[in-house]
């Protein structure tokens, strides 16, 4: 199971069609195809001839190879889809166990660190894109996919199209960001894509990742900063300023409030400003003689 555009077997074609019918993103389709291919290669036979014990053996193998928890769970998703949808074997998917992913708190930049980081980005286009990512809480793919027409200065909104899960959403357009984007537009003159790349395509997301690495070093930050770090910082700073967590959920495009709620674990000013029930008690520290 290699390139989905190449000649494929009937089984692989059925899986591709199943994913397309359910509007899975191209990236997800490639990931699922690759996972099932590895599963098949590991056992040396067609995956439709393999069962639950074969899945378990493959999972054990992946763990022994040090595969990340995220990659392991993506393989689980792929195999669940393959058995449950493509093979219509409903008894198997629920028995394919997910790995229990260690919950790590995301790295967060302070407001001063955000400024230091963004000012250390040497490219005008990358700086404008990363500034937009922080100001609107965008994922990397969402930032690079913005079009000039998505910036609605009349209503002070940004239209985010085809976000995670192929969902559109609307986020606020910061007045300060609008000023920056107008300066950027006068200098760069983008036409269709706000941050154009080569040909008629937007800038490659890897350009932003590389810019993050260079800016982190140039700014002298010890934290590892990525585009997603800016998104985490956006959410945390909103929470610390008193924004309702349900509004943050909508701005981030989270389907589940529990995903957004993890920012309550890193919003230190919110934690520090929360009154302990102990403060409502009257207690003498020194016991009576």
């Amino acid at each position: 199971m290699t390139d989905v555009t190449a000649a494929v077997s009937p089984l692989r074609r059925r899986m591709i069609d199943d994913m397309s019918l359910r509007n899975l993103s191209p990236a997800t389709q490639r990931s699922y195809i690759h996972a099932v291919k590895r599963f098949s290669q590991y056992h040396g036979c067609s995956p439709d001839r393999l069962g639950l014990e074969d899945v378990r053996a493959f999972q054990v193998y992946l763990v022994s190879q040090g595969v990340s928890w995220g990659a392991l769970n993506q393989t689980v998703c792929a195999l669940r889809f393959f058995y449950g949808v493509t093979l219509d074997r409903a008894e198997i998917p629920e028995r394919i166990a997910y790995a229990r992913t260690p919950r790590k708190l995301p790295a967060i930049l302070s407001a001063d660190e955000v400024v230091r980081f963004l000012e250390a980005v040497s490219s005008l286009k990358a700086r404008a894109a990363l500034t937009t990512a922080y100001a609107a809480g965008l994922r990397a793919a969402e930032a690079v996919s913005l079009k000039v027409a998505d910036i609605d200065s009349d209503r002070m909104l940004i239209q985010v199209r085809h976000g995670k899960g192929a969902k559109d959403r609307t986020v606020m357009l910061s007045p300060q960001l609008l000023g920056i984007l107008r300066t950027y537009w006068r200098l760069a003159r983008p036409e269709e894509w706000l941050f154009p790349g080569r040909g008629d395509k937007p800038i490659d997301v890897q350009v932003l990742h590389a810019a993050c690495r260079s800016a982190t070093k140039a700014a002298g930050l010890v934290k590892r900063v990525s585009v997603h770090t800016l998104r985490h910082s956006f959410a945390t700073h909103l929470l610390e300023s008193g924004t309702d967590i349900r509004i943050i959920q909508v701005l981030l495009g989270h389907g589940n409030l529990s995903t957004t709620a993890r920012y309550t674990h890193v919003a230190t000013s919110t934690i520090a400003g929360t009154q302990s029930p102990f403060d409502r008690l009257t207690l003498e520290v020194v016991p009576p003689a």
Side-chain angles (χ1 to χ4, degrees):
M1 291 190 173
T2 53
D3 191 335
V4 296
T5 62
V8 296
S9 68
L11 179 61
R12 192 184 314 173
R13 170 50 58 193
R14 181 176 178 82
M15 183 176 178
I16 293 169
D17 290 343
D18 287 336
M19 292 188 291
S20 298
L21 285 171
R22 286 156 183 79
N23 201 27
L24 271 62
S25 71
T28 299
Q29 292 192 37
R30 288 192 296 270
S31 173
Y32 281 17
I33 290 292
H34 178 69
V36 177
K37 174 187 174 182
R38 287 193 65 191
F39 174 55
S40 176
Q41 289 179 333
Y42 175 75
H43 288 290
C45 69
S46 179
D48 58 341
R49 295 168 54 191
L50 300 170
L52 188 60
E53 283 303 311
D54 300 308
V55 172
R56 182 180 181 279
F58 183 56
Q59 288 179 289
V60 171
Y61 164 74
L62 292 178
V63 171
S64 72
Q65 297 299 300
V67 172
S68 70
W69 297 113
L72 185 60
N73 279 336
Q74 191 150 41
T75 297
V76 171
C77 290
L79 293 175
R80 281 183 164 215
F81 184 92
F82 175 70
Y83 280 102
V85 178
T86 302
L87 296 186
D88 195 23
R89 295 172 62 178
E91 75 282 2
I92 290 184
E94 290 301 318
R95 299 177 65 187
I96 301 178
Y98 284 105
R100 185 174 180 180
T101 308
R103 294 300 300 270
K104 295 182 180 180
L105 295 178
I108 301 298
L109 299 181
S110 67
D112 289 341
E113 287 173 329
V114 170
V115 172
R116 281 171 54 195
F117 171 80
L118 292 175
E119 289 185 342
V121 181
S122 58
S123 162
L124 171 66
K125 188 186 301 182
R127 182 185 291 193
L130 291 171
T131 300
T132 303
Y134 169 73
L138 305 181
R139 301 176 177 91
E142 294 169 346
V144 301
S145 298
L146 286 175
K147 295 185 176 182
V148 174
D150 293 329
I151 308 301
D152 187 345
S153 57
D154 291 333
R155 297 191 298 156
M156 295 303 290
L157 298 172
I158 299 175
Q159 301 297 325
V160 182
R161 306 185 190 281
H162 306 296
K164 190 173 183 180
K167 297 177 182 178
D168 294 352
R169 71 180 188 279
T170 303
V171 298
M172 73 287 225
L173 172 58
S174 154
Q176 182 166 256
L177 175 63
L178 177 60
I180 290 172
L181 290 178
R182 281 175 168 164
T183 300
Y184 160 74
W185 187 87
R186 285 195 298 269
L187 294 171
R189 293 288 176 174
E191 296 180 0
E192 179 185 8
W193 300 105
L194 184 59
F195 308 114
R198 294 182 178 179
D200 59 352
K201 296 181 180 180
I203 188 174
D204 192 292
V205 71
Q206 294 303 324
V207 174
L208 295 192
H209 294 324
C212 283
R213 291 191 293 269
S214 298
T216 301
K217 185 176 181 180
L221 297 173
V222 296
K223 298 173 183 176
R224 184 177 179 181
V225 183
S226 66
V227 184
H228 227 63
T229 305
L230 298 176
R231 177 173 157 88
H232 291 320
S233 301
F234 164 86
T236 303
H237 295 166
L238 280 179
L239 190 63
E240 290 181 337
S241 67
T243 304
D244 190 290
I245 194 169
R246 289 165 294 187
I247 295 176
I248 299 174
Q249 177 191 3
V250 173
L251 291 172
L252 294 178
H254 287 161
N256 195 316
L257 185 61
S258 63
T259 305
T260 316
R262 65 176 173 162
Y263 294 109
T264 60
H265 297 292
V266 291
T268 52
S269 66
T270 302
I271 294 172
T274 303
Q275 185 182 42
S276 167
F278 181 76
D279 293 331
R280 294 193 291 270
L281 305 180
T282 301
L283 179 69
E284 294 293 336
V285 175
V286 181

